[in-house]
Every structure is written in structure tokens, then in C-alpha cells.
Amino acid sequence: MPALLGFLGVLAFSFTLPATRIAVEELDPTFVGIGREALAAVPAGLLLLAARAPLPSRPQLVRIAIVASGVVFGWPLFTALALRGLTSAHSAVIVGVLPAATAVAAVLRAGERPSRGFWLASFAGLVAVLAFAASQGAGISAGDLQILVAVALGAIGYAEGGALARELGGWRVICWAVVLTVPLTLPIGVVAAASSGLHASSDAWLAFVYVAVVSALLGFFPWYAGLARGGVAKIGQIQLVQPLLTLAWSALLLSEHIGAVTLLASFAVLASVVATQRTGVTRSSRPPLVTSRE
């Protein structure tokens, strides 16, 4: 069941890069990256009101701020900036580093201790991603660096959110993260929209709505639930199938060319998923660096 929840989250997120790519072709990347979070706060707030969810405790609010730094600000903003210059397919394979980064964050933030076999399998997937990146050009571009920053911050948000979901529930974690950051996301989104304009095609707006409703909110419901139940490090490795799914969307919807090297790298990281799911991960009931009280 945790693996299924994790896969549903990955399936939802697999369309994020293509949708973001479509949106930033006509809309300002800051508006797409941060404005989507302000829009997501509307249904999130309604859900919290309908459930009469109590305000998180002070320690939990600190941890929600950590979640928000990764998945409300870091990941969406830096991917939107990067996709102004990179294709969705290229970015998808670089994002294959995310599961390994999430495993590292799980050690630091979620109190988990993966086995040696887990790390070996994760390292194999990471090597495949880095080899792919090295084969694509003479150096690392600014877009590549922005994707890597997004990966680092996203991993922190995933690990902290997955651990906190053990206490609050996955949907409450992301709902509070987007609602409590509205005082920042709303003015940033408004300023970006005012400075760049909002003239765009229906395709760009549909893509924006997708990243606002699904990528920024609904996709986290099963994702954080899966991380909380199955372990952040282990379930996080399911993200390694995301590049394959994203490549399919990129080819079908954006007509991006998917070369043999890209496919080879994607299948290599997919193979590491099977290996990591057969290894053990021990975990404590609470994160080692931050404790919280109900």
C-alpha cells in the first residue's frame, strides 16, 4: 500500500516538468513557480476549514517552514527558471538525482538508516544520471545548476514532509505549507504577473492550472502518505520511475526528441528502483534533529 501511494504521487508529479515547460513558454517563470502556490492555497484553505483542522503546534510550524522552503519555494521556482532554457526530457533525467538526494535528507531529517545495499543501488542510479548529464554537452549549463538546486531543496521538503506526515497526515502537511506561506507567495505572484503580463494561450493556462492544483497540492496527498507509511528513503526511490513517465509525456505532448542515450539512462535508473525496494531501511518514530509535541 505505501508503494502504491508513492507511485500515485510520482504519477501526478511526472507531468509537472512538461506542464511547467508549456506554461513558461508564455508566462513569467516566477509567476508560474510561485503564483501556482498562491492559487493552491485556495482549495487547501477550504479543505482545512472543512476538516476543522487545528493549527499545528509551534514545533510543527517550524517543520512546516522547512517543508515550504523546499516544495513551495525551492522546487517550483528553480524548475520554472530552468525550463526556460532546458527541454522537459533533458530535465527529467537530471531530476533522477532526486531519490538519492531524498535518501540523504531522510538520514538527516527523518531519522532513517538505509542499509548498505540500499546505498549501493541508489549510487548506481545516481551514476547513470551523472553519466547522462556528462554525455549531453561540453559543460553544465545554468539550467542544469538550477535543476540541481531544485533537487536539493525538493529533497529536503520531501523528507521533512514525509516525517511530519506521521503526525499530521500527508494532506494536512502540504495544505498548511501552502496556506501559511500565502503572505509571501501572493505578493510575489502578483508582482511577477504585473511586471510581465498575463497574456497567454489556453494551453499555457491549462498547464498552469495543472501545476497549481495537482503538482502543488493534490499530488502530495498520496505522496506524503506513502513516505510516512513506507519510509522516506525507500518510498522516495519510486521517484526513479518518474523520468520514464516524464519522457513519455514530453514526447507525446511536446514532441521532444527522446534519443537512445536518454532512454538508456532512464532504464538504468529504473533498474535501481527494483534493487532499492528489496533492501532494508530502519527508522525511528521521530526525526533526530527536530522533535515535536501534539
Side-chain angles (χ1 to χ4, degrees), residues 26-28 31 192-200 205:
E26 302 180 47
L27 294 168
D28 180 78
F31 172 74
S195 62
S196 61
L198 296 176
H199 301 291
W205 280 112

Side-chain angles (χ1 to χ4, degrees), residues 1-293:
M1 185 62 174
L4 176 60
L5 289 170
F7 176 75
L8 291 175
V10 166
L11 181 62
F13 296 148
S14 68
F15 190 61
T16 299
L17 293 180
T20 301
R21 173 69 175 169
I22 293 171
V24 299
E25 286 182 347
E26 302 180 47
L27 294 168
D28 180 78
T30 300
F31 172 74
V32 173
I34 302 300
R36 78 180 206 177
E37 304 296 331
L39 179 57
V42 176
L46 293 175
L47 285 171
L48 290 171
L49 286 173
R52 297 183 179 180
L55 188 69
S57 65
R58 183 172 297 178
Q60 289 171 339
L61 287 174
V62 172
R63 296 174 64 188
I64 288 173
I66 295 173
V67 172
S69 69
V71 302
V72 175
F73 293 102
W75 171 266
L77 178 59
F78 282 99
T79 52
L81 291 171
L83 285 165
R84 267 292 177 93
L86 300 179
T87 66
S88 173
H90 178 91
S91 303
V93 182
I94 301 298
V95 168
V97 178
L98 184 55
T102 301
V104 173
V107 171
L108 299 175
R109 302 300 311 174
E112 300 186 2
R113 295 295 180 268
S115 67
R116 181 178 298 180
F118 179 96
W119 287 117
L120 289 174
S122 297
F123 181 73
L126 176 59
V127 168
V129 170
L130 295 179
F132 166 78
S135 71
Q136 297 301 294
I140 298 179
S141 68
D144 290 327
L145 292 175
Q146 288 167 337
I147 287 290
L148 290 174
V149 172
V151 165
L153 294 174
I156 294 171
Y158 283 171
E160 191 69 32
L164 185 55
R166 300 171 194 165
E167 302 174 19
L168 294 179
W171 73 271
R172 287 185 178 87
V173 171
I174 191 60
C175 283
W176 281 119
V178 296
V179 166
L180 294 176
T181 52
V182 163
L184 291 175
T185 59
L186 183 58
I188 292 173
V190 169
V191 170
S195 62
S196 61
L198 296 176
H199 301 291
S201 66
S202 59
D203 287 345
W205 280 112
L206 284 174
F208 176 76
V209 170
Y210 183 91
V211 296
V213 175
V214 179
S215 302
L217 186 64
L218 297 183
F220 281 96
F221 288 15
W223 179 239
Y224 275 156
L227 293 177
R229 298 179 188 183
V232 174
K234 190 166 187 176
I235 299 302
Q237 295 303 300
I238 297 175
Q239 294 170 106
L240 286 170
V241 304
Q242 187 170 322
L244 284 175
L245 295 172
T246 300
L247 288 176
W249 300 132
S250 300
L252 291 173
L253 301 175
L254 301 178
S255 299
E256 293 183 358
H257 175 68
I258 311 299
V261 174
T262 301
L263 285 175
L264 181 61
S266 297
F267 280 113
V269 295
L270 177 60
S272 72
V273 174
V274 178
T276 57
Q277 294 306 297
R278 293 177 179 271
T279 61
V281 176
T282 58
R283 57 178 174 144
S284 62
S285 59
R286 292 182 184 276
L289 302 184
V290 180
T291 58
S292 60
R293 298 175 182 173

